[in-house]
Amino acid sequence: MKFSGLTTIEEKTQLTDRIFALQLSCPEIASIAKPGQFVQLKLTDHDAHLWPRPFSIHQAKDGIIKLTIKICGAITNKLSRLNKGDNVHITGPLGSRFNIPTQWKPVYLVAGGVGLPPLHFLCETMLNNGCPAKYIHFLSGARCSDELFADREIKSLGVNYILTTDDGSAGIKGFITKPLDEKIAEFKNADTNQKPIIYGCGPIPMLKKVAAICSGFECYVSLEQLMPCGWGVCNGCAVKIVNSNNTVVEDERGFRLARVCKEGPVFKSSEILWE
């Protein structure tokens, strides 16, 4: 059941120069939201752009939805100017969720930049469901130390944590896919039931690399895509899905189009036709 209506900002926190968090009072969404799902936000100003904007759910508990937002354009800039007590229009929860294992095994969460929030939500959910912290490996990459916004929170969870920055200003210097490659290589010859599950969210080039590294493993990715409607109507967020014997394709090109807002944003990495 989706909720669509006004919600009040209970708290706003400036995390970095360009990243901020909004805590929104919305028990209708908080009570049913699952890791991987998202909401659509729309400014109440009628002069604002027509389409709402999608944001992954960072946390959902006690009637509060937490969203972590990076200022990237006109709408996110306007959202950053809102304060406690202001209203925004929200719709959700929308989209698919991450598949959580029923039996615990090693888990690798691979986050790039502001792709971290849904994985943080997933990590907390797994821990709350009884997953031992030693099984969870959280790999987080950022451009520089100034863009870190959840470092202390992840460390406080007690999971295995690897941090990289492109410029080496914090953690390991380089892309997060390098330590992932090293870790996954350790499982190449492992039995199927011993192989880890990998979850990723971040820029498309990063996810493409994650998919290549994790080929042959159970791997899920959450796509960051502009979703004009969020309801599967406009097809503006469609991505190409690899054809299989059990799927219907539009034509002889051998792939079908999947709406990220409806069938996603979570997909198996092997399903995506990476280009």
Side-chain angles (χ1 to χ4, degrees), residues 172-214:
I172 303 169
K173 183 177 181 179
F175 296 149
I176 197 63
T177 48
K178 182 178 180 181
L180 173 68
D181 194 12
E182 295 170 351
K183 293 293 183 180
I184 296 302
E186 299 174 5
F187 294 94
K188 291 294 185 182
N189 298 319
D191 294 335
T192 301
N193 60 356
Q194 295 178 327
K195 289 186 176 182
I197 302 176
I198 302 95
Y199 302 86
C201 186
I204 291 296
M206 185 205 88
L207 295 182
K208 181 179 180 180
K209 182 67 174 178
V210 169
I213 292 171
C214 301

mmCIF file of all heavy atoms in Angstrom, residues 172-214:
data_model
loop_
_atom_site.group_PDB
_atom_site.id
_atom_site.type_symbol
_atom_site.label_atom_id
_atom_site.label_comp_id
_atom_site.label_asym_id
_atom_site.label_seq_id
_atom_site.Cartn_x
_atom_site.Cartn_y
_atom_site.Cartn_z
ATOM 1 N N ILE A 172 41.746 3.780 2.132
ATOM 2 C CA ILE A 172 42.641 3.324 1.069
ATOM 3 C C ILE A 172 42.471 4.217 -0.155
ATOM 4 O O ILE A 172 41.364 4.594 -0.512
ATOM 5 C CB ILE A 172 42.322 1.855 0.704
ATOM 6 C CG1 ILE A 172 42.445 0.959 1.935
ATOM 7 C CG2 ILE A 172 43.238 1.364 -0.419
ATOM 8 C CD1 ILE A 172 41.893 -0.445 1.725
ATOM 9 N N LYS A 173 43.559 4.542 -0.820
ATOM 10 C CA LYS A 173 43.479 5.353 -2.019
ATOM 11 C C LYS A 173 43.052 4.492 -3.205
ATOM 12 O O LYS A 173 43.620 3.426 -3.454
ATOM 13 C CB LYS A 173 44.820 6.005 -2.321
ATOM 14 C CG LYS A 173 44.780 6.937 -3.535
ATOM 15 C CD LYS A 173 46.114 7.636 -3.754
ATOM 16 C CE LYS A 173 46.034 8.584 -4.950
ATOM 17 N NZ LYS A 173 47.322 9.296 -5.180
ATOM 18 N N GLY A 174 42.042 4.976 -3.939
ATOM 19 C CA GLY A 174 41.578 4.267 -5.127
ATOM 20 C C GLY A 174 40.089 4.005 -5.094
ATOM 21 O O GLY A 174 39.373 4.479 -4.207
ATOM 22 N N PHE A 175 39.610 3.245 -6.077
ATOM 23 C CA PHE A 175 38.194 2.919 -6.175
ATOM 24 C C PHE A 175 37.847 1.748 -5.264
ATOM 25 O O PHE A 175 38.675 0.861 -5.025
ATOM 26 C CB PHE A 175 37.819 2.578 -7.615
ATOM 27 C CG PHE A 175 37.992 3.730 -8.576
ATOM 28 C CD1 PHE A 175 38.323 3.489 -9.898
ATOM 29 C CD2 PHE A 175 37.824 5.040 -8.163
ATOM 30 C CE1 PHE A 175 38.477 4.546 -10.795
ATOM 31 C CE2 PHE A 175 37.966 6.100 -9.041
ATOM 32 C CZ PHE A 175 38.307 5.848 -10.358
ATOM 33 N N ILE A 176 36.612 1.698 -4.819
ATOM 34 C CA ILE A 176 36.171 0.646 -3.897
ATOM 35 C C ILE A 176 36.147 -0.716 -4.574
ATOM 36 O O ILE A 176 36.195 -1.763 -3.900
ATOM 37 C CB ILE A 176 34.778 0.997 -3.319
ATOM 38 C CG1 ILE A 176 34.487 0.157 -2.071
ATOM 39 C CG2 ILE A 176 33.680 0.817 -4.367
ATOM 40 C CD1 ILE A 176 35.433 0.390 -0.926
ATOM 41 N N THR A 177 36.119 -0.743 -5.901
ATOM 42 C CA THR A 177 36.074 -2.020 -6.608
ATOM 43 C C THR A 177 37.391 -2.800 -6.495
ATOM 44 O O THR A 177 37.394 -4.018 -6.689
ATOM 45 C CB THR A 177 35.733 -1.807 -8.090
ATOM 46 O OG1 THR A 177 36.562 -0.757 -8.622
ATOM 47 C CG2 THR A 177 34.274 -1.410 -8.256
ATOM 48 N N LYS A 178 38.490 -2.120 -6.164
ATOM 49 C CA LYS A 178 39.761 -2.837 -6.033
ATOM 50 C C LYS A 178 39.757 -3.768 -4.819
ATOM 51 O O LYS A 178 40.049 -4.971 -4.962
ATOM 52 C CB LYS A 178 40.934 -1.857 -5.949
ATOM 53 C CG LYS A 178 42.280 -2.566 -5.856
ATOM 54 C CD LYS A 178 43.447 -1.589 -5.829
ATOM 55 C CE LYS A 178 44.779 -2.333 -5.728
ATOM 56 N NZ LYS A 178 45.938 -1.401 -5.684
ATOM 57 N N PRO A 179 39.439 -3.276 -3.603
ATOM 58 C CA PRO A 179 39.370 -4.233 -2.490
ATOM 59 C C PRO A 179 38.266 -5.262 -2.660
ATOM 60 O O PRO A 179 38.396 -6.396 -2.186
ATOM 61 C CB PRO A 179 39.125 -3.341 -1.259
ATOM 62 C CG PRO A 179 38.652 -2.031 -1.791
ATOM 63 C CD PRO A 179 39.271 -1.885 -3.141
ATOM 64 N N LEU A 180 37.177 -4.901 -3.353
ATOM 65 C CA LEU A 180 36.134 -5.889 -3.620
ATOM 66 C C LEU A 180 36.690 -7.019 -4.465
ATOM 67 O O LEU A 180 36.448 -8.196 -4.173
ATOM 68 C CB LEU A 180 34.951 -5.234 -4.338
ATOM 69 C CG LEU A 180 33.868 -6.209 -4.811
ATOM 70 C CD1 LEU A 180 33.143 -6.829 -3.630
ATOM 71 C CD2 LEU A 180 32.882 -5.512 -5.745
ATOM 72 N N ASP A 181 37.428 -6.683 -5.506
ATOM 73 C CA ASP A 181 38.025 -7.685 -6.391
ATOM 74 C C ASP A 181 38.927 -8.633 -5.605
ATOM 75 O O ASP A 181 38.892 -9.856 -5.792
ATOM 76 C CB ASP A 181 38.817 -6.971 -7.491
ATOM 77 C CG ASP A 181 39.193 -7.903 -8.637
ATOM 78 O OD1 ASP A 181 38.651 -9.029 -8.686
ATOM 79 O OD2 ASP A 181 40.011 -7.509 -9.484
ATOM 80 N N GLU A 182 39.711 -8.060 -4.690
ATOM 81 C CA GLU A 182 40.626 -8.872 -3.885
ATOM 82 C C GLU A 182 39.873 -9.821 -2.964
ATOM 83 O O GLU A 182 40.250 -10.988 -2.801
ATOM 84 C CB GLU A 182 41.547 -7.961 -3.078
ATOM 85 C CG GLU A 182 42.485 -7.122 -3.943
ATOM 86 C CD GLU A 182 43.217 -6.051 -3.152
ATOM 87 O OE1 GLU A 182 42.872 -5.852 -1.963
ATOM 88 O OE2 GLU A 182 44.117 -5.398 -3.716
ATOM 89 N N LYS A 183 38.784 -9.326 -2.378
ATOM 90 C CA LYS A 183 38.002 -10.151 -1.454
ATOM 91 C C LYS A 183 37.257 -11.259 -2.186
ATOM 92 O O LYS A 183 37.238 -12.415 -1.739
ATOM 93 C CB LYS A 183 37.009 -9.274 -0.690
ATOM 94 C CG LYS A 183 37.646 -8.280 0.268
ATOM 95 C CD LYS A 183 38.321 -8.983 1.418
ATOM 96 C CE LYS A 183 38.900 -7.998 2.413
ATOM 97 N NZ LYS A 183 39.570 -8.686 3.564
ATOM 98 N N ILE A 184 36.621 -10.915 -3.307
ATOM 99 C CA ILE A 184 35.836 -11.908 -4.045
ATOM 100 C C ILE A 184 36.735 -12.985 -4.639
ATOM 101 O O ILE A 184 36.331 -14.150 -4.771
ATOM 102 C CB ILE A 184 35.002 -11.219 -5.142
ATOM 103 C CG1 ILE A 184 33.973 -10.272 -4.510
ATOM 104 C CG2 ILE A 184 34.293 -12.244 -6.021
ATOM 105 C CD1 ILE A 184 33.025 -10.935 -3.544
ATOM 106 N N ALA A 185 37.961 -12.625 -4.996
ATOM 107 C CA ALA A 185 38.895 -13.603 -5.554
ATOM 108 C C ALA A 185 39.146 -14.758 -4.582
ATOM 109 O O ALA A 185 39.435 -15.887 -5.002
ATOM 110 C CB ALA A 185 40.216 -12.921 -5.908
ATOM 111 N N GLU A 186 39.001 -14.490 -3.297
ATOM 112 C CA GLU A 186 39.221 -15.518 -2.283
ATOM 113 C C GLU A 186 38.142 -16.601 -2.324
ATOM 114 O O GLU A 186 38.327 -17.699 -1.795
ATOM 115 C CB GLU A 186 39.260 -14.888 -0.889
ATOM 116 C CG GLU A 186 40.377 -13.857 -0.708
ATOM 117 C CD GLU A 186 40.286 -13.150 0.633
ATOM 118 O OE1 GLU A 186 39.409 -13.532 1.461
ATOM 119 O OE2 GLU A 186 41.083 -12.221 0.875
ATOM 120 N N PHE A 187 37.006 -16.295 -2.954
ATOM 121 C CA PHE A 187 35.881 -17.230 -2.974
ATOM 122 C C PHE A 187 35.687 -17.893 -4.337
ATOM 123 O O PHE A 187 34.718 -18.626 -4.524
ATOM 124 C CB PHE A 187 34.588 -16.498 -2.603
ATOM 125 C CG PHE A 187 34.552 -15.979 -1.191
ATOM 126 C CD1 PHE A 187 34.942 -14.675 -0.911
ATOM 127 C CD2 PHE A 187 34.113 -16.783 -0.153
ATOM 128 C CE1 PHE A 187 34.892 -14.186 0.388
ATOM 129 C CE2 PHE A 187 34.060 -16.306 1.149
ATOM 130 C CZ PHE A 187 34.455 -15.003 1.417
ATOM 131 N N LYS A 188 36.577 -17.661 -5.286
ATOM 132 C CA LYS A 188 36.377 -18.155 -6.646
ATOM 133 C C LYS A 188 36.216 -19.672 -6.697
ATOM 134 O O LYS A 188 35.429 -20.199 -7.502
ATOM 135 C CB LYS A 188 37.548 -17.721 -7.540
ATOM 136 C CG LYS A 188 37.614 -16.229 -7.824
ATOM 137 C CD LYS A 188 36.433 -15.766 -8.659
ATOM 138 C CE LYS A 188 36.575 -14.290 -9.027
ATOM 139 N NZ LYS A 188 35.399 -13.801 -9.815
ATOM 140 N N ASN A 189 36.931 -20.388 -5.861
ATOM 141 C CA ASN A 189 36.880 -21.847 -5.888
ATOM 142 C C ASN A 189 36.058 -22.435 -4.751
ATOM 143 O O ASN A 189 36.092 -23.647 -4.518
ATOM 144 C CB ASN A 189 38.304 -22.410 -5.835
ATOM 145 C CG ASN A 189 39.135 -21.997 -7.039
ATOM 146 O OD1 ASN A 189 38.640 -21.996 -8.169
ATOM 147 N ND2 ASN A 189 40.392 -21.643 -6.805
ATOM 148 N N ALA A 190 35.296 -21.583 -4.070
ATOM 149 C CA ALA A 190 34.493 -22.056 -2.938
ATOM 150 C C ALA A 190 33.239 -22.760 -3.428
ATOM 151 O O ALA A 190 32.780 -22.556 -4.554
ATOM 152 C CB ALA A 190 34.115 -20.875 -2.039
ATOM 153 N N ASP A 191 32.678 -23.609 -2.586
ATOM 154 C CA ASP A 191 31.411 -24.248 -2.897
ATOM 155 C C ASP A 191 30.325 -23.177 -2.984
ATOM 156 O O ASP A 191 30.415 -22.125 -2.355
ATOM 157 C CB ASP A 191 31.035 -25.264 -1.823
ATOM 158 C CG ASP A 191 31.996 -26.448 -1.792
ATOM 159 O OD1 ASP A 191 32.620 -26.729 -2.834
ATOM 160 O OD2 ASP A 191 32.128 -27.066 -0.713
ATOM 161 N N THR A 192 29.272 -23.487 -3.739
ATOM 162 C CA THR A 192 28.206 -22.516 -3.946
ATOM 163 C C THR A 192 27.605 -22.009 -2.643
ATOM 164 O O THR A 192 27.366 -20.815 -2.471
ATOM 165 C CB THR A 192 27.082 -23.131 -4.810
ATOM 166 O OG1 THR A 192 27.636 -23.535 -6.056
ATOM 167 C CG2 THR A 192 25.970 -22.123 -5.055
ATOM 168 N N ASN A 193 27.386 -22.915 -1.690
ATOM 169 C CA ASN A 193 26.763 -22.512 -0.427
ATOM 170 C C ASN A 193 27.701 -21.730 0.478
ATOM 171 O O ASN A 193 27.286 -21.251 1.535
ATOM 172 C CB ASN A 193 26.204 -23.730 0.318
ATOM 173 C CG ASN A 193 27.290 -24.747 0.659
ATOM 174 O OD1 ASN A 193 28.443 -24.598 0.279
ATOM 175 N ND2 ASN A 193 26.900 -25.794 1.373
ATOM 176 N N GLN A 194 28.965 -21.622 0.092
ATOM 177 C CA GLN A 194 29.933 -20.852 0.868
ATOM 178 C C GLN A 194 30.245 -19.502 0.220
ATOM 179 O O GLN A 194 30.911 -18.663 0.825
ATOM 180 C CB GLN A 194 31.234 -21.653 1.034
ATOM 181 C CG GLN A 194 31.073 -22.916 1.863
ATOM 182 C CD GLN A 194 32.369 -23.705 1.953
ATOM 183 O OE1 GLN A 194 33.172 -23.723 1.023
ATOM 184 N NE2 GLN A 194 32.576 -24.349 3.103
ATOM 185 N N LYS A 195 29.768 -19.319 -0.997
ATOM 186 C CA LYS A 195 30.045 -18.065 -1.685
ATOM 187 C C LYS A 195 29.217 -16.929 -1.096
ATOM 188 O O LYS A 195 28.067 -17.135 -0.703
ATOM 189 C CB LYS A 195 29.754 -18.204 -3.182
ATOM 190 C CG LYS A 195 30.764 -19.075 -3.925
ATOM 191 C CD LYS A 195 30.506 -19.066 -5.419
ATOM 192 C CE LYS A 195 31.579 -19.854 -6.168
ATOM 193 N NZ LYS A 195 31.370 -19.827 -7.633
ATOM 194 N N PRO A 196 29.768 -15.731 -1.052
ATOM 195 C CA PRO A 196 29.047 -14.604 -0.458
ATOM 196 C C PRO A 196 27.959 -14.065 -1.383
ATOM 197 O O PRO A 196 27.913 -14.380 -2.572
ATOM 198 C CB PRO A 196 30.145 -13.560 -0.260
ATOM 199 C CG PRO A 196 31.113 -13.848 -1.372
ATOM 200 C CD PRO A 196 31.111 -15.348 -1.515
ATOM 201 N N ILE A 197 27.090 -13.255 -0.798
ATOM 202 C CA ILE A 197 26.112 -12.491 -1.558
ATOM 203 C C ILE A 197 26.601 -11.053 -1.594
ATOM 204 O O ILE A 197 27.067 -10.513 -0.581
ATOM 205 C CB ILE A 197 24.719 -12.551 -0.906
ATOM 206 C CG1 ILE A 197 24.252 -14.002 -0.784
ATOM 207 C CG2 ILE A 197 23.707 -11.748 -1.720
ATOM 208 C CD1 ILE A 197 22.936 -14.161 -0.068
ATOM 209 N N ILE A 198 26.511 -10.438 -2.760
ATOM 210 C CA ILE A 198 27.010 -9.072 -2.926
ATOM 211 C C ILE A 198 25.843 -8.147 -3.268
ATOM 212 O O ILE A 198 24.972 -8.496 -4.072
ATOM 213 C CB ILE A 198 28.075 -9.000 -4.042
ATOM 214 C CG1 ILE A 198 29.236 -9.934 -3.721
ATOM 215 C CG2 ILE A 198 28.587 -7.561 -4.191
ATOM 216 C CD1 ILE A 198 29.139 -11.306 -4.349
ATOM 217 N N TYR A 199 25.833 -6.979 -2.627
ATOM 218 C CA TYR A 199 24.837 -5.946 -2.888
ATOM 219 C C TYR A 199 25.585 -4.654 -3.210
ATOM 220 O O TYR A 199 26.538 -4.297 -2.503
ATOM 221 C CB TYR A 199 23.955 -5.705 -1.669
ATOM 222 C CG TYR A 199 23.214 -6.918 -1.156
ATOM 223 C CD1 TYR A 199 23.824 -7.801 -0.263
ATOM 224 C CD2 TYR A 199 21.907 -7.178 -1.545
ATOM 225 C CE1 TYR A 199 23.152 -8.910 0.226
ATOM 226 C CE2 TYR A 199 21.211 -8.289 -1.058
ATOM 227 C CZ TYR A 199 21.848 -9.147 -0.176
ATOM 228 O OH TYR A 199 21.174 -10.244 0.301
ATOM 229 N N GLY A 200 25.162 -3.965 -4.263
ATOM 230 C CA GLY A 200 25.846 -2.738 -4.640
ATOM 231 C C GLY A 200 24.893 -1.608 -4.972
ATOM 232 O O GLY A 200 23.779 -1.831 -5.449
ATOM 233 N N CYS A 201 25.335 -0.389 -4.713
ATOM 234 C CA CYS A 201 24.588 0.799 -5.122
ATOM 235 C C CYS A 201 25.577 1.939 -5.307
ATOM 236 O O CYS A 201 26.447 2.171 -4.460
ATOM 237 C CB CYS A 201 23.529 1.174 -4.091
ATOM 238 S SG CYS A 201 22.459 2.549 -4.621
ATOM 239 N N GLY A 202 25.443 2.638 -6.425
ATOM 240 C CA GLY A 202 26.355 3.734 -6.717
ATOM 241 C C GLY A 202 26.270 4.102 -8.185
ATOM 242 O O GLY A 202 25.330 3.703 -8.893
ATOM 243 N N PRO A 203 27.261 4.828 -8.687
ATOM 244 C CA PRO A 203 27.265 5.224 -10.098
ATOM 245 C C PRO A 203 27.289 4.007 -11.026
ATOM 246 O O PRO A 203 27.850 2.958 -10.686
ATOM 247 C CB PRO A 203 28.550 6.047 -10.228
ATOM 248 C CG PRO A 203 28.900 6.459 -8.841
ATOM 249 C CD PRO A 203 28.417 5.366 -7.950
ATOM 250 N N ILE A 204 26.703 4.148 -12.199
ATOM 251 C CA ILE A 204 26.626 3.038 -13.159
ATOM 252 C C ILE A 204 28.000 2.458 -13.504
ATOM 253 O O ILE A 204 28.154 1.228 -13.540
ATOM 254 C CB ILE A 204 25.895 3.482 -14.445
ATOM 255 C CG1 ILE A 204 24.407 3.729 -14.143
ATOM 256 C CG2 ILE A 204 26.021 2.435 -15.542
ATOM 257 C CD1 ILE A 204 23.651 2.483 -13.698
ATOM 258 N N PRO A 205 29.045 3.268 -13.776
ATOM 259 C CA PRO A 205 30.350 2.664 -14.076
ATOM 260 C C PRO A 205 30.855 1.772 -12.947
ATOM 261 O O PRO A 205 31.457 0.723 -13.198
ATOM 262 C CB PRO A 205 31.261 3.880 -14.284
ATOM 263 C CG PRO A 205 30.333 4.971 -14.719
ATOM 264 C CD PRO A 205 29.080 4.741 -13.948
ATOM 265 N N MET A 206 30.613 2.183 -11.693
ATOM 266 C CA MET A 206 31.017 1.364 -10.553
ATOM 267 C C MET A 206 30.241 0.052 -10.527
ATOM 268 O O MET A 206 30.804 -1.026 -10.331
ATOM 269 C CB MET A 206 30.790 2.121 -9.253
ATOM 270 C CG MET A 206 31.297 1.385 -8.016
ATOM 271 S SD MET A 206 30.461 1.855 -6.482
ATOM 272 C CE MET A 206 29.065 0.709 -6.489
ATOM 273 N N LEU A 207 28.917 0.132 -10.733
ATOM 274 C CA LEU A 207 28.089 -1.066 -10.698
ATOM 275 C C LEU A 207 28.439 -2.029 -11.830
ATOM 276 O O LEU A 207 28.380 -3.245 -11.663
ATOM 277 C CB LEU A 207 26.609 -0.684 -10.766
ATOM 278 C CG LEU A 207 26.061 0.102 -9.571
ATOM 279 C CD1 LEU A 207 24.589 0.376 -9.755
ATOM 280 C CD2 LEU A 207 26.312 -0.650 -8.262
ATOM 281 N N LYS A 208 28.801 -1.483 -12.975
ATOM 282 C CA LYS A 208 29.225 -2.319 -14.100
ATOM 283 C C LYS A 208 30.468 -3.112 -13.716
ATOM 284 O O LYS A 208 30.587 -4.311 -14.021
ATOM 285 C CB LYS A 208 29.501 -1.448 -15.321
ATOM 286 C CG LYS A 208 29.921 -2.227 -16.559
ATOM 287 C CD LYS A 208 30.145 -1.301 -17.747
ATOM 288 C CE LYS A 208 30.571 -2.078 -18.977
ATOM 289 N NZ LYS A 208 30.787 -1.170 -20.150
ATOM 290 N N LYS A 209 31.395 -2.464 -13.025
ATOM 291 C CA LYS A 209 32.607 -3.138 -12.571
ATOM 292 C C LYS A 209 32.293 -4.166 -11.497
ATOM 293 O O LYS A 209 32.844 -5.280 -11.503
ATOM 294 C CB LYS A 209 33.593 -2.094 -12.030
ATOM 295 C CG LYS A 209 34.922 -2.664 -11.563
ATOM 296 C CD LYS A 209 35.749 -3.221 -12.706
ATOM 297 C CE LYS A 209 37.127 -3.643 -12.232
ATOM 298 N NZ LYS A 209 37.940 -4.237 -13.324
ATOM 299 N N VAL A 210 31.391 -3.822 -10.587
ATOM 300 C CA VAL A 210 30.964 -4.768 -9.549
ATOM 301 C C VAL A 210 30.369 -6.014 -10.192
ATOM 302 O O VAL A 210 30.666 -7.146 -9.797
ATOM 303 C CB VAL A 210 29.938 -4.112 -8.591
ATOM 304 C CG1 VAL A 210 29.296 -5.169 -7.686
ATOM 305 C CG2 VAL A 210 30.605 -3.034 -7.749
ATOM 306 N N ALA A 211 29.523 -5.823 -11.205
ATOM 307 C CA ALA A 211 28.892 -6.948 -11.893
ATOM 308 C C ALA A 211 29.935 -7.857 -12.538
ATOM 309 O O ALA A 211 29.810 -9.087 -12.518
ATOM 310 C CB ALA A 211 27.914 -6.433 -12.944
ATOM 311 N N ALA A 212 30.965 -7.251 -13.120
ATOM 312 C CA ALA A 212 32.019 -8.043 -13.764
ATOM 313 C C ALA A 212 32.820 -8.836 -12.731
ATOM 314 O O ALA A 212 33.117 -10.019 -12.935
ATOM 315 C CB ALA A 212 32.941 -7.123 -14.558
ATOM 316 N N ILE A 213 33.157 -8.190 -11.628
ATOM 317 C CA ILE A 213 33.923 -8.853 -10.571
ATOM 318 C C ILE A 213 33.134 -10.011 -9.975
ATOM 319 O O ILE A 213 33.686 -11.068 -9.667
ATOM 320 C CB ILE A 213 34.298 -7.836 -9.467
ATOM 321 C CG1 ILE A 213 35.312 -6.817 -9.999
ATOM 322 C CG2 ILE A 213 34.848 -8.542 -8.223
ATOM 323 C CD1 ILE A 213 35.564 -5.653 -9.051
ATOM 324 N N CYS A 214 31.840 -9.817 -9.838
ATOM 325 C CA CYS A 214 30.992 -10.788 -9.139
ATOM 326 C C CYS A 214 30.260 -11.733 -10.084
ATOM 327 O O CYS A 214 29.264 -12.358 -9.687
ATOM 328 C CB CYS A 214 29.987 -10.054 -8.251
ATOM 329 S SG CYS A 214 30.781 -9.012 -7.015
#
